[in-house]
Amino acid sequence: MKKVVIGIAVFFVVLIAAAALVPILFKDKIKDRLDKEIAKNINAQVLYETDNVSLSLFRTFPDLGLSIKELTIVGKDSFQRDTLAYLPDFALGLDLMSVITGDEMVIKSIEMQDPRLKLLVLKSGMANWDIFIPDTAAAAQTDTADFKMGIEKWTINNGQIIYQDLSIPFGVAAYNVQHTGSGDLAKDVFDMETHTQADRFTMTYGNVNYIENKKLNAEVTLAMDMANSVYTFKDNNFRLNDFALGMDGSIAMPTDDIKFDLTFKALETDFKNLFSLVPGVFTDKFKDVQTDGKVAFNGYVKGTFNETTLPGFGVDLTVNNGTFKYPDLPQAAKNINVAMSVKNADGNLDHTVVNIKKLHLELGKNPIDGQVLIDGLSPMKVDGNLQARLDLAEMTKVFPLEGTTLRGLLDVDAKANGVYFENHMPVMSAKLNLTNGYVKSSSFPAPLEQVTVASTVTNTTGNAMDTDIQVSRFKMLLDKEPLEGRVSIKNLSQPQFDAAVTGVLDLTKLTKIFPIEGTTLSGRMAGNVQAKGKMTDVEAGRYGNVQSSGTVTINQLAYKSTDLPQGMRINSATATFNNEQVRLQQLNGFLGKSDVQMNGTVSNYMGYLFSENQPLRGNFTLQSSNFNVNEWMVDEHTGQAVPASTTQEAQGVVQVPANLDMLLNAQIGTVVYNNLKLQNLNGKVSLKDQIAKLEDVSFNTLGGQFSTTGTYDSRDLIHPKFAFGLNIKNLDFQRSFQAFNTIQQVAPIANLLKGQFSTNFNLSGELGSDMMPVMSTLSGKGLVEVVEAVVTNVKALSKISSLTNLSEVQNFTIKNKGFAAEIVAGNLVMKPFEFEVKDIKMTVGGTSNLGGKLDYVVAMDVPSGKVGNALASKLTSLSGVQNLQGLERVTLQLGVTGPYKDPSVALKGSSLKAEASNIVKQVVTNKLENVLKDKLPVKNATNTDSLKAELARQQEAAKLKAQQELEKKRQEAEAKVKSEAQNQLNKLFNRTKKPAAATPADTTKK
């Protein structure tokens, strides 16, 4: 028995030891495989630290667990500023035997903890998750891959998933996601079972949230036919809050087209289930709400979806005699009856029919009645009406508004009958009046009271020119402070406006009554604004025909949000405006922790706001004692400032906004950028045509004085360009090397020199996605003056000293010497320059490339008596002169070639004449001619990666150009099938500047 116990103990000791040793033994092997697979298959930036990769047998036993912490995947090109995935804790379960015995590692499971996924489709149809490099050879011989997908289960814990398709436009956002899935993905036919929960789920279409912040619970089994790309719904239950929905049918994707054949219906018919979808209803008290009534909900999606067609669809909703009553409220909502259908038989949106045959409900004693038939979208036939007379105080007796008091009478009466298309409107009459409104929130004691709105919309002829919109009065008191005004708009075909607003807005009080999620806003604004004129004059730039005037004062305004975590504060400012311009006076405040004082003017603001492609012009003076740029480099996941050590990483190309024509005169005491402090910055910055220009910008840093004039051109985001003229005085060699990436790569010798230099240099090239120069594109020329440099510990000079037996050339000082230099394709060409080391006259010139390879010539005019015996024999054979001692001086021609850290030095020739300068000049001239001819091709092996990167960059540029051409053609085709109604609206209300396609609004944000 004792032997058995000992045997079992030994077995477990061996098992535990193996479990501990296997990860150690195979970590390097798996890490190498992982890096190889990423480089071979992924066309994206995959960022992780080697120390964050770990292996374990205990986490996923009996599989081997590969864990990666802080894994980030960032796209390229159009997606270079978008993070596709941020995975704080990502784990793969690998089949243990495939790791130990095979060349192919089998992935069995995937687990993600707290992932943040953002899936984006651009208007062109490009998707940011399309990052896999196609490999036809690998597709034909799958056994050559290092990893094999044999996934059987996957898990997401506490995830955030954002999906945006801007081509539809459609979006989904899910927060606090718990998801598990299982299925043998190695098979062609299998059942995939998934379970998904999300605390908040939002679905958006056309910038409208149709489902917002609902709780999602989905149990789905799909029959997967991978060979034919057909996915069939089997057992499934989708539940939003308390509303359950079932799905039948299939989705097929055998080609780029998606074929839908789906039906859906409500699985439960109680009105309470539908009522749970009403915003603010699904709370802990929902189970106690008394309801009655029945619901029928069903629909279908059938047809093909691609870039130009949509599937047909239909939805029917019926509510019969619905009621609800909260147990702690005195009145009920009753007689809720709805009969609605939405039909589209062929997928052409113009053929959509919306028919709300019946809409009736009674909120206490307040009835709401309406009906509408919309037949088609272009032209749009409308026949509908809506009547409601609501006592807002009674509404709070029906529906809970905790901590809020409402009063006032709201009267709505609207009718419309006719056809909407260009310059035509339905005959309509509508009024919306609110009298004696009152809002009081428990979070702020002061009420919003005496709220009055009187408005009408009329059209008696059906012509757009006869439409009359009148807000004859709006008024409110917030803590006894008034805000009131009026608005009149006539003739929608050529709108005429007349508006006036006066009063005080206390933002602190207002946002306590109506809080803005994720935003802190406080301060006071007081103003008196009038505007009257015609939109035709605004669009034509005839601002003299527009009457506009007013004054706005701002006091102690503070703003902070999730998008602007640094915050801003305006202590005081005054803005006055007329037809032509807005004048900003005495703005005093802070951007983040940086103080700012600003004055200036903005012109053409009407053309910018109300017309397309008109620039906003401005001229400002900015003063600051201390501006911290680092504070604005924030991590997109945490909102915290990025440490200085990581600000060099790719932050994305900065695009100068279009339609801006701005001039900024800056005077800043200290600018903190990365690890630099720029003192006494003065100069002008202009923004125009997506180009930023620096004019006579000067500052002090690193002990030197800088003056620069230049441009940054962001019109081509794939190849953003810069050109700068630099005038630098008395800059320290070593401090410049430590501070500037360009000097580290082009002139590494600066790190070995002690002293100062000055330069007047012109530099140009392209910037990469990290806003750093692409070295292979760098070019420039100028003069460099060495004020004083102590030269020591330079490897090339040590080897020259060893070859020539001239010890004085190892360490010496150069003062007040200048030389000319050029940078061609990122490579430094140093023109010949002369200096003396004791009684030795030296002339130096040559080239160095990105790989650190030197090709220099050094001519030394040396007293013949200093030439050693060994070197003298070489000179005798080269020159034919037997007695060098009879000569006063001799010139040595040395070649310095090879890597900067360990170059080779060789005697290339000699001369009996003092012609060192001419020798070097001729050699360097020949080299420069070759450089300019060949654009300095990098031949050494150390630059293979640079060449590959440049080639890949050019390929991506060609790819983007092709995609842009394809997008242009797609847009032309899409325009033919686009909704005519939307076209008419654009023509009719073409007043608001459209957002740039490159920075689409994220409609899925909470």
Side-chain angles (χ1 to χ4, degrees), residues 638-652:
T638 65
Q640 302 299 313
V642 178
S645 61
T646 64
T647 54
Q648 297 286 346
E649 296 178 2
Q651 299 293 321

Side-chain angles (χ1 to χ4, degrees), residues 603-650:
S603 59
N604 196 41
Y605 68 94
M606 288 189 181
Y608 178 77
L609 290 174
F610 299 116
S611 301
E612 291 187 39
N613 302 320
Q614 287 204 28
L616 180 67
R617 301 187 181 95
N619 192 324
F620 291 95
T621 298
L622 171 69
Q623 294 179 319
S624 174
S625 61
N626 193 318
F627 199 97
N628 189 345
V629 177
N630 292 340
E631 187 183 6
W632 298 87
M633 298 178 179
V634 298
D635 184 271
E636 68 174 289
H637 306 294
T638 65
Q640 302 299 313
V642 178
S645 61
T646 64
T647 54
Q648 297 286 346
E649 296 178 2

